[in-house]
Amino acid sequence: MISLDLNFNILTRDLSHYLENQVKVGLFGSGVGLSLVLGFSAAYTCYYLISVARKPQLVSGGKKFYQFLREQCPVVSETYYPTFWCWESRIQTLLRPFVTAKPGVVYRNELIKAADGGQISVDWFDNDESLSHPNPATRPTVLLLPGLTGTSRESYILHMVQQSRDLGYRCVVFNNRGVSGETLLTPRTYCAANTEDLEIVIEHVQRSCAAAPIMAAGVSMGGMMLANYLGRKGRETCLKGVVVFSAGWDVFECTASLEKPLDRFLFNSYLTSCLQASVHRPVLEKCYDIDHVMKARTIREFDERFTSIMFGYRTNEDYYHDASPVHKLKSVQVPMLCLNAADDVFSPSHGESHHQLISDGP
C-alpha cells in the first residue's frame, strides 16, 4: 500500500522540479508566481490524497464470496486513485467520448427470432485464436449487456471484449431491440424490468455452447436488466457468475438525481434525445402517440409516455418499482459482483446505501 506521506512528497517534488525547469517567463517566472503555483499545487495534492483517493467499500451477502474477493482480487481493498487532473464524475463523463480509444473487434452477427415475431440482434466474438482455450466447445463464454441505448460498438464494450480476448474467452453481445441497426419487426422495444429477450438470448447461447461455462457482465441499464433477471430466476440459470457495473439500483433515486438542474442540462436531455432517436416511427406509431413521445424533455417523461405503456404498467411508478434491482437482490443465487462509483450521477450512492452490493451464490 502506498503511504499518504510518500504520495505527497513525490508529487510535490515532481511539481517543483517541473515548474522550476519549464516555467520561465511572466508571472509564473517570478518568485511570487512560482510560490503561488507551488502553494496551490500542494494544496490540491493534499486535498486529492485526503478527500478524493479512497478505499472501496466492500459489502457481501456471504463470507465465502467476501473472502474469495479479498484473496483473489486484492484491488477491492486497495486505495483507488482517480485520474489526478480529472477526478470529478461529471467532467469524466463529458470527456470520455473524446479520450477513449476503440479497439478493433470483428463480430459475427446473428438475428434470433422471438416468440412475438420480433428479432434480437447478437454479436459474437468467437476468439478462435485463443491459446488458453483452443477447444471452441469448452471455451468460456461471456455475455455482455450494454447500457441504455448502447450497442456492441460502444467503446466500453469493445474494451471488455478485448480483455476477454486476452483471457482466451469468447464473447457475445446482447443488443436490445431496435438499437443496433436491425429492423424492428413488432411494436416492442425494451426496458430494464422486462427480461424476456435476455432469457431468449441466454438460452440460445447455452444451446450453442452447451459444454462451455457461461458468465455475464452488464453496464448501467444492462446491469439492471441482468440483476433483475437473476433475481427472478434464482437457481434456474446457466450463468456461473456475473459482474454488474454502474447499475441504477433504485430507479426513483436515479431519475431524481438526473433531474437536478445541472445534471438535467448536462445528461438528462441528451439521454432523452438518444431514446427518442431509437424510436422506429413506422412500426410504433400504429400503437403509440409518437408525436407526444417526441415532446418528452426528460427520461421520466419518456417513460411515462412510452416505456411504461408499452410494457403494460398501470403507472410509471409501478414500472420504476419493478425495474429497480434493489427489490430482487436477495433472490440472486449465483455469485454477482456489483461495482458502483460513490459519485456516480446516474446511480447516486445514497440510493444504494441500504442494499447488498455483492451477492454470494450457493
Side-chain angles (χ1 to χ4, degrees), residues 109-112 118-123 151 175-185 188-190 197 278 280:
N109 183 255
E110 182 179 15
L111 295 176
I112 303 172
Q119 60 183 0
I120 307 165
S121 175
V122 296
D123 287 311
T151 69
N175 299 295
N176 287 301
R177 295 196 197 191
V179 299
S180 63
E182 82 284 5
T183 303
L184 190 67
L185 300 179
R188 169 180 164 169
T189 55
Y190 59 93
D197 284 359
S278 67
H280 294 234

Short mmCIF file of all heavy atoms in Angstrom, two decimals, residues 109-112 118-123 151 175-185 188-190 197 278 280:
data_model
loop_
_atom_site.label_atom_id
_atom_site.label_comp_id
_atom_site.label_asym_id
_atom_site.label_seq_id
_atom_site.Cartn_x
_atom_site.Cartn_y
_atom_site.Cartn_z
N ASN A 109 -22.46 -11.41 -36.63
CA ASN A 109 -23.81 -11.05 -36.21
C ASN A 109 -24.79 -12.20 -36.41
O ASN A 109 -24.67 -12.99 -37.36
CB ASN A 109 -24.30 -9.82 -36.99
CG ASN A 109 -25.68 -9.37 -36.55
OD1 ASN A 109 -26.67 -9.60 -37.25
ND2 ASN A 109 -25.77 -8.74 -35.40
N GLU A 110 -25.74 -12.28 -35.50
CA GLU A 110 -26.79 -13.30 -35.58
C GLU A 110 -28.11 -12.68 -35.14
O GLU A 110 -28.16 -11.93 -34.16
CB GLU A 110 -26.46 -14.50 -34.69
CG GLU A 110 -27.48 -15.62 -34.76
CD GLU A 110 -27.13 -16.80 -33.87
OE1 GLU A 110 -26.24 -16.63 -33.00
OE2 GLU A 110 -27.75 -17.87 -34.02
N LEU A 111 -29.17 -12.96 -35.86
CA LEU A 111 -30.51 -12.49 -35.52
C LEU A 111 -31.32 -13.66 -34.97
O LEU A 111 -31.44 -14.70 -35.62
CB LEU A 111 -31.21 -11.89 -36.74
CG LEU A 111 -30.57 -10.61 -37.32
CD1 LEU A 111 -31.30 -10.18 -38.58
CD2 LEU A 111 -30.57 -9.49 -36.29
N ILE A 112 -31.85 -13.48 -33.78
CA ILE A 112 -32.62 -14.53 -33.12
C ILE A 112 -34.10 -14.16 -33.16
O ILE A 112 -34.48 -13.04 -32.81
CB ILE A 112 -32.17 -14.70 -31.66
CG1 ILE A 112 -30.66 -15.01 -31.61
CG2 ILE A 112 -32.96 -15.80 -30.97
CD1 ILE A 112 -30.10 -15.00 -30.20
N GLY A 118 -40.76 -10.77 -33.29
CA GLY A 118 -39.65 -9.82 -33.36
C GLY A 118 -38.31 -10.52 -33.52
O GLY A 118 -38.23 -11.76 -33.55
N GLN A 119 -37.25 -9.73 -33.62
CA GLN A 119 -35.91 -10.28 -33.76
C GLN A 119 -34.94 -9.57 -32.84
O GLN A 119 -35.08 -8.38 -32.56
CB GLN A 119 -35.43 -10.20 -35.21
CG GLN A 119 -35.35 -8.80 -35.78
CD GLN A 119 -34.92 -8.79 -37.24
OE1 GLN A 119 -34.68 -9.85 -37.83
NE2 GLN A 119 -34.81 -7.62 -37.84
N ILE A 120 -33.96 -10.34 -32.36
CA ILE A 120 -32.97 -9.83 -31.42
C ILE A 120 -31.60 -10.00 -32.06
O ILE A 120 -31.24 -11.08 -32.52
CB ILE A 120 -33.02 -10.60 -30.09
CG1 ILE A 120 -34.45 -10.61 -29.54
CG2 ILE A 120 -32.06 -9.99 -29.08
CD1 ILE A 120 -34.66 -11.63 -28.43
N SER A 121 -30.84 -8.92 -32.09
CA SER A 121 -29.51 -8.95 -32.69
C SER A 121 -28.45 -9.23 -31.64
O SER A 121 -28.38 -8.54 -30.62
CB SER A 121 -29.22 -7.61 -33.38
OG SER A 121 -27.90 -7.57 -33.87
N VAL A 122 -27.62 -10.24 -31.89
CA VAL A 122 -26.48 -10.53 -31.01
C VAL A 122 -25.22 -10.55 -31.86
O VAL A 122 -25.23 -10.98 -33.01
CB VAL A 122 -26.65 -11.86 -30.26
CG1 VAL A 122 -27.83 -11.81 -29.32
CG2 VAL A 122 -26.80 -13.03 -31.22
N ASP A 123 -24.12 -10.09 -31.29
CA ASP A 123 -22.83 -10.05 -31.98
C ASP A 123 -21.85 -10.95 -31.26
O ASP A 123 -21.58 -10.76 -30.07
CB ASP A 123 -22.30 -8.61 -32.05
CG ASP A 123 -23.06 -7.76 -33.04
OD1 ASP A 123 -23.25 -8.21 -34.19
OD2 ASP A 123 -23.49 -6.65 -32.67
N THR A 151 -24.77 -0.29 -27.85
CA THR A 151 -24.69 -1.48 -28.71
C THR A 151 -23.32 -2.11 -28.54
O THR A 151 -22.50 -1.68 -27.72
CB THR A 151 -24.89 -1.10 -30.19
OG1 THR A 151 -23.75 -0.34 -30.65
CG2 THR A 151 -26.15 -0.26 -30.38
N ASN A 175 -27.75 -7.07 -27.95
CA ASN A 175 -28.24 -5.74 -28.34
C ASN A 175 -29.76 -5.69 -28.15
O ASN A 175 -30.47 -6.56 -28.65
CB ASN A 175 -27.92 -5.45 -29.80
CG ASN A 175 -26.42 -5.45 -30.09
OD1 ASN A 175 -25.68 -4.62 -29.59
ND2 ASN A 175 -25.98 -6.42 -30.89
N ASN A 176 -30.23 -4.70 -27.44
CA ASN A 176 -31.67 -4.56 -27.28
C ASN A 176 -32.34 -4.28 -28.62
O ASN A 176 -31.72 -3.74 -29.55
CB ASN A 176 -31.99 -3.42 -26.30
CG ASN A 176 -31.68 -3.81 -24.87
OD1 ASN A 176 -32.22 -4.77 -24.35
ND2 ASN A 176 -30.79 -3.05 -24.23
N ARG A 177 -33.61 -4.61 -28.71
CA ARG A 177 -34.33 -4.47 -29.97
C ARG A 177 -34.30 -3.03 -30.49
O ARG A 177 -34.55 -2.08 -29.77
CB ARG A 177 -35.79 -4.89 -29.80
CG ARG A 177 -36.01 -6.34 -29.47
CD ARG A 177 -37.46 -6.72 -29.72
NE ARG A 177 -37.82 -7.96 -29.06
CZ ARG A 177 -38.96 -8.62 -29.28
NH1 ARG A 177 -39.85 -8.14 -30.12
NH2 ARG A 177 -39.21 -9.74 -28.62
N GLY A 178 -33.99 -2.93 -31.78
CA GLY A 178 -34.13 -1.65 -32.47
C GLY A 178 -33.00 -0.67 -32.30
O GLY A 178 -33.10 0.47 -32.78
N VAL A 179 -31.89 -1.04 -31.64
CA VAL A 179 -30.83 -0.06 -31.39
C VAL A 179 -29.56 -0.31 -32.19
O VAL A 179 -28.69 0.56 -32.26
CB VAL A 179 -30.47 0.01 -29.88
CG1 VAL A 179 -31.66 0.41 -29.06
CG2 VAL A 179 -29.90 -1.32 -29.40
N SER A 180 -29.41 -1.48 -32.80
CA SER A 180 -28.14 -1.80 -33.46
C SER A 180 -28.26 -1.87 -34.99
O SER A 180 -27.40 -2.44 -35.65
CB SER A 180 -27.59 -3.14 -32.93
OG SER A 180 -28.48 -4.20 -33.24
N GLY A 181 -29.33 -1.28 -35.52
CA GLY A 181 -29.45 -1.22 -36.97
C GLY A 181 -30.35 -2.27 -37.59
O GLY A 181 -30.69 -2.19 -38.77
N GLU A 182 -30.78 -3.26 -36.79
CA GLU A 182 -31.68 -4.27 -37.33
C GLU A 182 -33.10 -3.72 -37.45
O GLU A 182 -33.46 -2.76 -36.76
CB GLU A 182 -31.66 -5.54 -36.47
CG GLU A 182 -32.54 -5.51 -35.23
CD GLU A 182 -31.98 -4.70 -34.10
OE1 GLU A 182 -30.93 -4.04 -34.28
OE2 GLU A 182 -32.61 -4.69 -33.01
N THR A 183 -33.90 -4.30 -38.30
CA THR A 183 -35.28 -3.84 -38.50
C THR A 183 -36.14 -4.22 -37.30
O THR A 183 -36.08 -5.35 -36.82
CB THR A 183 -35.88 -4.47 -39.78
OG1 THR A 183 -35.04 -4.12 -40.90
CG2 THR A 183 -37.29 -3.95 -40.02
N LEU A 184 -36.93 -3.28 -36.83
CA LEU A 184 -37.88 -3.56 -35.76
C LEU A 184 -39.14 -4.13 -36.39
O LEU A 184 -39.87 -3.44 -37.09
CB LEU A 184 -38.20 -2.29 -34.97
CG LEU A 184 -38.98 -2.47 -33.68
CD1 LEU A 184 -38.14 -3.21 -32.63
CD2 LEU A 184 -39.42 -1.12 -33.13
N LEU A 185 -39.40 -5.40 -36.14
CA LEU A 185 -40.49 -6.11 -36.82
C LEU A 185 -41.82 -6.00 -36.08
O LEU A 185 -42.88 -6.18 -36.70
CB LEU A 185 -40.12 -7.59 -37.00
CG LEU A 185 -38.86 -7.87 -37.82
CD1 LEU A 185 -38.60 -9.37 -37.91
CD2 LEU A 185 -38.98 -7.26 -39.22
N ARG A 188 -42.53 -3.29 -30.30
CA ARG A 188 -41.99 -3.52 -28.97
C ARG A 188 -40.50 -3.29 -28.97
O ARG A 188 -39.79 -3.75 -29.89
CB ARG A 188 -42.30 -4.95 -28.50
CG ARG A 188 -41.54 -5.34 -27.25
CD ARG A 188 -41.84 -6.73 -26.78
NE ARG A 188 -40.84 -7.18 -25.84
CZ ARG A 188 -40.93 -8.28 -25.11
NH1 ARG A 188 -42.00 -9.03 -25.22
NH2 ARG A 188 -39.98 -8.63 -24.27
N THR A 189 -40.02 -2.59 -27.95
CA THR A 189 -38.58 -2.35 -27.84
C THR A 189 -38.04 -3.05 -26.59
O THR A 189 -37.97 -4.27 -26.55
CB THR A 189 -38.28 -0.84 -27.81
OG1 THR A 189 -39.03 -0.22 -26.76
CG2 THR A 189 -38.64 -0.19 -29.13
N TYR A 190 -37.70 -2.31 -25.55
CA TYR A 190 -37.07 -2.93 -24.38
C TYR A 190 -37.24 -2.03 -23.16
O TYR A 190 -37.57 -0.84 -23.28
CB TYR A 190 -35.58 -3.16 -24.62
CG TYR A 190 -34.81 -1.89 -24.92
CD1 TYR A 190 -34.17 -1.18 -23.90
CD2 TYR A 190 -34.73 -1.38 -26.22
CE1 TYR A 190 -33.47 -0.02 -24.16
CE2 TYR A 190 -34.03 -0.21 -26.48
CZ TYR A 190 -33.40 0.46 -25.46
OH TYR A 190 -32.72 1.62 -25.72
N ASP A 197 -36.46 -11.05 -23.49
CA ASP A 197 -35.48 -11.15 -24.58
C ASP A 197 -34.13 -11.65 -24.07
O ASP A 197 -33.45 -12.44 -24.73
CB ASP A 197 -35.30 -9.79 -25.26
CG ASP A 197 -36.46 -9.44 -26.18
OD1 ASP A 197 -37.39 -10.26 -26.30
OD2 ASP A 197 -36.45 -8.33 -26.75
N SER A 278 -34.01 6.38 -31.06
CA SER A 278 -34.10 4.93 -31.26
C SER A 278 -35.54 4.46 -31.52
O SER A 278 -35.77 3.27 -31.74
CB SER A 278 -33.55 4.19 -30.03
OG SER A 278 -34.37 4.39 -28.90
N HIS A 280 -38.62 3.70 -33.62
CA HIS A 280 -38.90 3.39 -35.01
C HIS A 280 -40.35 3.79 -35.30
O HIS A 280 -41.28 3.01 -35.08
CB HIS A 280 -38.69 1.90 -35.29
CG HIS A 280 -37.26 1.47 -35.14
ND1 HIS A 280 -36.57 0.81 -36.15
CD2 HIS A 280 -36.38 1.59 -34.12
CE1 HIS A 280 -35.34 0.55 -35.74
NE2 HIS A 280 -35.21 1.02 -34.50
#
